[in-house]
Amino acid sequence: MEQRLAALHAKSDRQLEAMRQHAAERAKELRPSESEEAGRTKSFLSDKLVALDRDKAEFCYQLLRAIDARRVVEIGTSYGVSTLYLAAALRDNVRGTGDAALVIGTEYEPEKAAAARNEFAKAGLSDFIHLLEGDLRETLKTVESPVDFMLVDIWIPMARPALELVAPRLRPGAIVVCDNTEAYRSAYADYFAFIDDPANGFRTMTLPFSGGLELSVYDGKDRKE
């Protein structure tokens, strides 16, 4: 699996410059309508891996091992690079125990979902992954409790809706990790409004990974139902 992950990360790295150029070009233009911008971004990202950086993915693996996670939700599976790290951690957590463990992924694009499932099979991790295909605002309604860990690495406007749907399923002590929260701080305003509200029961801090990585711990005792 290590060789396959290295190849996927290399492909993702080669796409970074095109993604930076796309963002720069959008910034120079007069502000388009919200629907126009959403359509343009969706089209551009349709063939991009948008993979979590290697060090961030390894950090998530170690967190899952540390908390002995069994149920994980990933928001934004794309081609499944980070999913492989998450599933490998669950596999290693339950090795020899007979316990069940599952990564629940989300992906809107059918082509990406198919490619991701192919990667899962090649890595021998398909049994540890259930990919929800379609609009996460609907598919996440099927997620069951308790959720030990949640990874958010998706188009930013979808970050808060996803968290709001999964939050009621988080167990006390569950961890939520969200990517690039320092680089796109203002874009994540709605996400932070939810995380920072004491009624929602989170303690959070931004870790100094490239672009920032938000680490939030859910404390169910403080959350108002």
Side-chain angles (χ1 to χ4, degrees):
M1 189 176 80
E2 293 297 329
Q3 289 183 341
R4 188 58 194 153
L5 281 172
L8 289 168
H9 277 300
K11 183 176 180 180
S12 178
D13 289 345
R14 290 193 296 270
Q15 294 177 337
L16 287 178
E17 183 54 39
M19 295 176 69
R20 293 190 187 101
Q21 184 176 349
H22 173 80
E25 290 173 353
R26 297 290 77 77
K28 292 177 183 177
E29 295 180 359
L30 294 174
R31 184 169 180 81
S33 68
E34 186 173 321
S35 59
E36 179 185 355
E37 180 63 19
R40 183 181 296 172
T41 298
K42 179 175 179 292
S43 176
F44 175 77
L45 294 176
S46 62
D47 64 342
K48 304 298 186 295
L49 266 69
V50 200
L52 199 66
D53 295 343
R54 293 174 181 82
D55 55 349
K56 296 174 182 177
E58 176 64 25
F59 179 64
C60 288
Y61 172 90
Q62 293 187 18
L63 286 174
L64 294 186
R65 296 303 312 277
I67 66 173
D68 198 27
R70 295 293 191 272
R71 184 179 297 273
V72 172
V73 175
E74 181 186 39
I75 307 302
T77 294
S78 189
Y79 286 88
V81 180
S82 53
T83 323
L84 295 178
Y85 285 88
L86 303 177
L90 296 193
R91 175 201 61 197
D92 296 344
N93 283 348
V94 302
R95 193 189 302 274
T97 69
D99 292 349
L102 193 65
V103 178
I104 301 164
T106 65
E107 181 51 52
Y108 185 79
E109 299 288 345
E111 296 82 4
K112 285 188 175 183
R117 290 190 178 99
N118 185 47
E119 295 296 341
F120 304 156
K122 287 180 179 178
L125 291 169
S126 296
D127 289 346
F128 294 94
I129 304 166
H130 176 52
L131 185 56
L132 301 173
E133 188 175 338
D135 189 330
L136 63 79
R137 290 167 293 189
E138 294 299 324
T139 61
L140 285 176
K141 294 177 182 179
T142 66
V143 173
E144 298 179 356
S145 303
V147 173
D148 302 303
F149 183 93
M150 178 178 180
L151 173 61
V152 182
D153 184 19
I154 197 170
W155 187 44
I156 295 173
M158 289 291 100
R160 174 165 175 165
L163 181 57
E164 287 184 308
L165 283 167
V166 177
R169 281 87 165 178
L170 295 174
R171 67 163 174 85
I175 294 174
V176 178
V177 169
C178 185
D179 194 22
N180 287 322
T181 53
E182 186 62 37
Y184 302 106
R185 201 77 176 183
S186 60
Y188 274 111
D190 284 348
Y191 182 85
F192 277 108
F194 186 86
I195 285 285
D196 291 336
D197 185 343
N200 293 326
F202 288 94
R203 297 177 66 90
T204 193
M205 65 186 301
T206 305
L207 303 181
F209 287 89
S210 175
L213 193 70
E214 201 68 21
L215 176 67
S216 307
V217 177
Y218 173 65
D219 182 356
K221 293 182 297 183
D222 294 335
R223 189 171 187 273
K224 295 179 181 178
E225 298 296 340

